[in-house]
Amino acid sequence: MSAKKVVLISGGAGFLASHICDQLISGGYKIICLDNFITGKNANISHLLRNKDFVFVRQNVSVPFKVAGKVDYVMHCASPASPVDYYSYPIETMLVGSNGTYHMLELAKAKKAVFLLTSTSEVYGDPKVHPQTEDYWGNVNPIGPRSVYDEAKRYAEAMTFAYRREFKVDTRVVRIFNTYGPRMNVNDGRVVPNFICQALKGRPITLYGDGKQTRSFCYVADEAAGILKLLFSREPGPVNIGNPREFNMIEFAKLVLELTGSKSKLVYKPLPEDDPKQRRPDITLARTKLGWEPKIELREGLTKTIAWFRENI
Ligand code: UDP
């Protein structure tokens, strides 16, 4: 029998989780990857399918399921994560955050495995505290279009902490901030794929609102490394993992134009409802408790991402 540790990961064919799978395989772990391909893609994991340490099961974790054998770590990464995706799949998003989290926690409990929830900076809503620290409770509209994601993740955090208190499941919660890199879904509507594809095709760059809203973008390899540091730590979290370098969307559009050498014009479109005006993680906790901080600057990460998009659109 293999002595390798087994990690079961939901949503493993998604953009971010597929990079987590890559890092786990490089680190000598076995993976059981579950995905129902709502927003995940076979192409994100096709390079892993022949690896004997990687097992893929097509499974929706919002319905009950069984897993045979030992599992040492359970990572619940499944969920539509871009605003366009969760507007398209509102019920699925709520169910994977609620029932999905419940099923994954039950599995962790039964297998005596460590459980990690990938939560989100969206739990802070349109934040009134800036930058966001983990002790901020957030400013979320409970019935707006974004609520299907925000409230599902808030529920998922509450459920995770309930299992920790009630059943002593060894849990971790990470709050993921905006992440970008190769394998982002070209059509997921997020700002990074939108701007890069528009620039590469010479189409207008669509700035929503006045373009002065801010975000902080973390390169996917950094993000995945931070999440795994949390998984293998003793820290329950929640811990913010993201890049604290903050840009507004006009600055970001100009950087994409520069790095692609595109002559696309900037055009302004309406701001989506409840779009947060500012977002930047305070990563003091990740720095001090995990010894983690991002290494890849936006220019370097965007250059790699643009190269990937050139090949894949
Ligand atoms: N955005 C934009 N143009 C686009 C797509 C998004 O100006 O074509 C803005 C959006 O309004 C938001 C920011 O970029 O303020 C980041 O949006 P994204 O959908 O990437 O993720 P969010 O951080 O809102 O979840």
Side-chain angles (χ1 to χ4, degrees):
M1 210 175 86
S2 160
K4 286 188 173 181
K5 298 276 189 199
V6 178
V7 183
L8 180 136
I9 182 164
S10 68
F15 154 60
L16 171 56
S18 70
H19 287 271
I20 293 175
C21 290
D22 287 343
Q23 293 189 10
L24 283 169
I25 288 287
S26 304
Y29 291 85
K30 282 181 88 111
I31 296 179
I32 304 169
C33 170
L34 312 180
D35 207 298
N36 64 351
F37 292 137
I38 282 195
T39 54
K41 284 193 310 209
N42 191 54
N44 290 342
I45 51 164
S46 53
H47 60 290
L48 293 172
L49 291 174
R50 284 170 184 223
N51 191 312
K52 64 175 178 23
D53 288 332
F54 186 85
V55 174
F56 176 76
V57 182
R58 189 160 184 164
Q59 177 68 50
N60 174 7
V61 298
S62 301
V63 298
F65 61 94
K66 288 206 166 66
V67 175
K70 77 157 188 167
V71 175
D72 300 289
Y73 299 92
V74 172
M75 300 183 79
H76 185 30
C77 303
S79 178
S82 90
V84 166
D85 285 341
Y86 52 74
Y87 300 156
S88 304
Y89 298 103
I91 310 304
E92 290 85 347
T93 302
M94 295 224 69
L95 289 177
V96 78
S98 53
N99 293 355
T101 302
Y102 168 63
H103 295 141
M104 295 292 279
L105 277 162
E106 277 291 304
L107 183 77
K109 183 173 136 225
K111 302 282 184 186
K112 299 191 174 21
V114 172
F115 174 86
L116 180 139
L117 171 72
T118 52
S119 185
T120 169
S121 55
E122 284 284 327
V123 301
Y124 302 122
D126 189 8
K128 296 204 185 298
V129 166
H130 193 72
Q132 291 77 56
T133 43
E134 291 86 348
D135 57 6
Y136 175 50
W137 291 354
N139 176 38
V140 171
N141 174 354
I143 57 167
R146 293 178 95 98
S147 67
V148 296
Y149 186 62
D150 303 8
E151 297 293 11
K153 289 291 191 182
R154 289 170 69 97
Y155 174 98
E157 288 199 11
M159 190 66 140
T160 301
F161 274 81
Y163 267 69
R164 183 178 183 83
R165 283 188 289 263
E166 191 69 13
F167 302 116
K168 311 287 177 254
V169 176
D170 191 8
T171 59
R172 320 270 183 267
V173 173
V174 57
R175 292 188 180 145
I176 298 170
F177 283 66
N178 292 68
T179 303
Y180 71 98
R183 301 187 200 145
M184 284 194 101
N185 197 340
V186 176
N187 300 316
D188 80 5
R190 279 192 273 208
V191 71
V192 175
N194 272 13
F195 284 7
I196 293 176
C197 293
Q198 289 160 349
L200 291 178
K201 291 179 175 166
R203 295 189 183 143
I205 305 279
T206 53
L207 280 161
Y208 298 163
D210 61 7
K212 296 202 177 124
Q213 69 274 34
T214 67
R215 293 292 187 274
S216 311
F217 297 108
C218 188
Y219 189 66
V220 66
D222 277 338
E223 186 70 40
I227 293 169
L228 289 176
K229 273 220 155 174
L230 175 63
L231 179 71
F232 299 127
S233 77
R234 304 286 308 162
E235 180 60 37
V239 178
N240 292 337
I241 297 286
N243 192 319
R245 180 103 187 262
E246 185 180 1
F247 294 82
N248 74 36
M249 294 307 105
I250 299 175
E251 292 166 329
F252 183 62
K254 289 187 175 156
L255 183 59
V256 171
L257 288 178
E258 180 199 322
L259 295 177
T260 52
S262 167
K263 301 262 180 305
S264 288
K265 301 263 174 298
L266 304 183
V267 296
Y268 289 84
K269 301 261 180 189
L271 191 67
E273 199 177 329
D274 297 331
D275 196 280
K277 282 179 269 315
Q278 54 183 3
R279 184 181 289 153
R280 169 157 62 102
D282 181 315
I283 60 163
T284 308
L285 209 56
R287 279 197 175 107
T288 53
K289 300 272 186 188
L290 308 178
W292 174 88
E293 62 181 2
K295 297 195 178 77
I296 298 165
E297 290 290 335
L298 185 62
R299 265 176 187 275
E300 183 191 348
L302 260 185
T303 304
K304 292 183 202 221
T305 308
I306 289 165
W308 184 86
F309 272 90
R310 276 191 203 280
E311 296 292 312
N312 288 278
I313 58 171

